[in-house]
Amino acid sequence: MGAVANAIDKKLRTRFAPARLTIEDESSKHRGHAGHREGGESHFRVEIVSAEFEGKNRVARQRLVYETLKGEFDAGLHALALTTLTPAEDR
């Protein structure tokens, strides 16, 4: 994992205590598109399962993740493809 992926991992684990967390760098799939940068770490797919999402709709869950990763976006992270689930939904 690169520096950005490590920062994402650490922040999401600290904030959400996930039952499961998967982070995939998909930057190579976006070569030539907006936000792509050489060396990757501009586009990620994140799947996170956390009890913190209980009682929240999809948009509210994603807002929590984006707020948690604000520093990474400010530093050049371009895009996240998010799947946010509760433990009960992760079956």
Side-chain angles (χ1 to χ4, degrees):
M1 254 194 279
V4 177
N6 282 328
I8 291 170
D9 184 85
K10 182 178 179 181
K11 287 184 176 184
L12 293 181
R13 287 187 190 282
T14 299
R15 169 63 180 86
F16 297 103
R20 188 166 55 80
L21 175 61
T22 305
I23 301 168
E24 181 182 350
D25 185 350
E26 294 190 330
S27 301
S28 64
K29 296 179 182 179
H30 298 274
R31 189 174 311 278
H33 297 164
H36 179 269
R37 61 179 176 237
E38 287 305 316
E41 295 209 297
S42 59
H43 295 72
F44 288 90
R45 177 169 301 280
V46 173
E47 187 168 324
I48 182 170
V49 178
S50 175
E52 293 290 319
F53 299 137
E54 294 285 349
K56 295 175 179 66
N57 66 29
R58 182 182 56 84
V59 172
R61 295 172 185 189
Q62 291 185 357
R63 283 184 179 147
L64 288 173
V65 172
Y66 280 102
E67 288 168 9
T68 302
L69 300 178
K70 183 183 182 319
E72 283 63 37
F73 280 101
D74 290 347
L77 175 60
H78 183 72
L80 285 180
L82 287 173
T83 301
T84 54
L85 303 170
T86 66
E89 294 168 333
D90 187 38
R91 305 215 171 188

